[in-house]
Amino acid sequence: MTKVMGAAMRRIQAGNALTAFGIGFTVPFLYIYVAQVRGLGSMAATSAFVAFALGALVALPFTGRVIDRRGPVPVVMGAAVAASAGALSLGLSTGVVPILLSALALGAGQAVMQPALATMIVWCSTPSTRTRAFALQFFMQNLGLGIGGLAGGQIVDVTRPGSFTLLFGIEAVMFLVLAGVIATVRMPQAPSIKDALPKDPAQADGGWKRLLRHKAMVQLCLLGFVLFFACYGQFESGLAAFGTEAAGISPSTLGFALAANTGAIVVAQFVVLKLVEKRRRSRVIALVGLIWTVAWLIAGFSGLGHGSATMAAAAFVSTYALFGIGEAMLSPTLAPLVADLAPEGSVGRYNSAFALVKQMALALGPLGVPLGAGVPMLYIGIFVLVSLGIAGLALRLGGQLSPVQDNPSLLGGRVVAGSAKGVERVEQRGERVSA
């Protein structure tokens, strides 16, 4: 990694952490703000979450092409400004329509940032450094979210709407800080339409059709959907409903469980990184599926009612901690794999497609609530099978990957030729490959 790449990466990671800190101020309190503080009820609060997800789903299909044509820097800055406006407007809104429009803008802005920032990390890294770069990004995000949530909890007061306005104001400022930091980033190679387009004319107009013909990427998107639906999609919906209804978990214990998840990520991230960065990515993802299988079984134990309330609470908290360990294993695995599968000039499209898959999984996550609350053991059984399915899908994906895509450590660290969007390297046995 050159000095220019290193300097750019540090600014990207710093801006990312500050933004996560701002988001952490508001995420845990959005439902309470809309339903109770503004007195609009649970239906309006649920609609705000739907609007947030809808903004992401509408914006992401168009994001990748813009990133690949104009570069990720202006996309991040534009998205940050839109998200800032949405956050500030949300904190000042008192009616249903303004809140929904604000949530739409905030959701679209935050969603567009994800693939744009990921593309910046790809441009500022090489295959051998990319794994650690994405692990650091995930670590900083969770640390920022955790600290922001703790700080926000000390400020909020449901009897003072102004305290929530302050939270959303802080979030809005953090988005502008991100835009300011990214504006100072000097990318290793200045993006332009000519440089960002594929070099092969046959690749110039593939778009989504070309991506859908890429079997490995399609399988990775399918695997990603299942991963996000079975984990993130259940955290604050189905699994929370299961814990409170079937296991008798108190809201405070649910808070401890979420803290255990973040704590496991922060503590385990770099320990896990050393264990996975030289191993086959498909095998690492398969292992995550097995770990999550154990997590769901432990969650099921907490709902059986055979032990004390303390045992049930401990089992439930352990479930979230195990999910965190799995997340720490995925962070240096999934995003770098998306980048390594992307043809030259298509990193933005591939990152956006994967972000879209994640948003779809999160949007469908609440479908688990009726099962988690009404038929708890069926809910657990389904997600045990889903987690085992993750392991199977990961091993099947491994058959579609080249040895270097599955295990970048085979590259041996020697650069042959490269650019900001595609780095060619040499494997240890001397064959020329393209990342």
Side-chain angles (χ1 to χ4, degrees):
M1 181 182 292
T2 66
K3 289 183 178 180
V4 172
M5 293 169 73
M9 183 68 76
R10 285 190 292 272
R11 297 190 182 193
I12 294 167
Q13 299 286 22
N16 184 65
L18 289 171
T19 304
F21 174 74
I23 294 172
F25 265 87
T26 62
V27 167
F29 313 111
L30 180 58
Y31 183 91
I32 295 173
Y33 170 71
V34 178
Q36 299 180 18
V37 176
R38 294 306 184 190
L40 299 175
S42 60
M43 185 61 69
T46 302
S47 298
F49 283 108
V50 172
F52 190 89
L54 184 61
L57 294 176
V58 169
L60 282 171
F62 308 99
T63 301
R65 185 175 180 84
V66 178
I67 293 173
D68 289 330
R69 283 185 169 271
R70 302 295 178 184
V73 172
V75 176
V76 173
M77 294 177 63
V81 171
S84 178
L88 183 59
S89 176
L90 192 57
L92 296 172
S93 299
T94 57
V96 174
V97 173
I99 283 177
L100 294 182
L101 292 175
S102 301
L104 195 71
L106 180 57
Q110 283 188 216
V112 169
M113 281 182 222
Q114 296 176 21
L117 285 169
T119 302
M120 291 186 73
I121 291 175
V122 171
W123 285 21
C124 295
S125 63
T126 64
S128 61
T129 62
R130 198 165 291 149
T131 296
R132 188 165 291 269
F134 277 103
L136 178 60
Q137 181 199 34
F138 191 66
F139 171 82
M140 297 297 285
Q141 280 180 338
N142 280 275
L143 187 62
L145 286 170
I147 295 174
L150 288 173
Q154 304 306 309
I155 296 174
V156 294
D157 182 349
V158 293
T159 64
R160 293 190 300 110
S163 65
F164 286 83
T165 301
L166 176 61
L167 291 189
F168 285 105
I170 293 173
E171 182 181 27
V173 170
M174 289 298 101
F175 285 129
L176 294 179
V177 169
L178 172 65
V181 170
I182 295 302
T184 67
V185 172
R186 179 187 172 194
M187 296 300 289
Q189 180 173 330
S192 68
I193 294 177
K194 178 178 180 296
D195 291 331
L197 287 173
K199 305 303 180 187
D200 182 356
Q203 299 179 5
D205 57 356
W208 285 94
K209 290 183 180 179
R210 182 164 172 263
L211 187 150
L212 292 173
R213 290 196 298 266
H214 191 165
K215 290 183 179 180
M217 184 60 187
V218 171
Q219 288 192 22
L220 179 58
C221 285
L222 174 62
L223 175 58
F225 178 87
V226 178
L227 282 164
F228 294 127
F229 179 74
C231 179
Y232 299 100
Q234 303 308 309
F235 271 7
E236 297 177 9
S237 57
L239 189 54
F242 169 85
T244 54
E245 297 292 336
I249 300 300
S250 67
S252 60
T253 301
L254 181 58
F256 278 117
L258 290 168
N261 173 262
T262 302
I265 292 170
V266 171
V267 171
Q269 182 65 82
F270 292 103
V271 175
V272 167
L273 178 62
K274 291 181 179 180
L275 298 177
V276 306
E277 62 182 346
K278 293 185 181 297
R279 287 171 172 78
R280 293 176 61 178
R281 288 165 167 168
S282 58
R283 300 273 178 91
V284 171
I285 300 171
L287 179 57
V288 171
L290 297 180
I291 291 173
W292 286 359
T293 300
V294 174
W296 282 107
L297 290 172
I298 293 174
F301 171 79
S302 73
L304 290 175
H306 294 326
S308 65
T310 302
M311 289 180 61
F316 195 73
V317 170
S318 298
T319 296
Y320 275 74
L322 284 173
F323 273 117
I325 292 173
E327 291 174 73
M329 296 171 66
L330 290 176
S331 63
T333 305
L334 288 178
L337 180 54
V338 173
D340 290 345
L341 286 175
E344 185 176 357
S346 297
V347 174
R349 286 184 178 88
Y350 274 57
N351 280 328
S352 296
F354 201 70
L356 179 61
V357 165
K358 179 179 180 179
Q359 291 296 328
M360 291 173 64
L362 294 179
L364 294 176
L367 293 177
V369 171
L371 284 177
V375 197
M377 288 303 111
L378 176 60
Y379 174 74
I380 293 296
I382 288 173
F383 279 96
V384 166
L385 294 177
V386 168
S387 297
L388 291 174
I390 288 171
L393 288 172
L395 294 177
R396 185 178 179 183
L397 172 65
Q400 294 288 333
L401 303 177
S402 70
V404 171
Q405 289 171 338
D406 206 12
N407 187 358
S409 65
L410 296 175
L411 291 168
R414 287 183 292 149
V415 177
V416 175
S419 71
K421 293 162 280 295
V423 180
E424 291 186 342
R425 288 175 158 258
V426 175
E427 295 187 60
Q428 289 177 334
R429 65 176 182 269
E431 294 181 3
R432 190 175 185 182
V433 298
S434 175

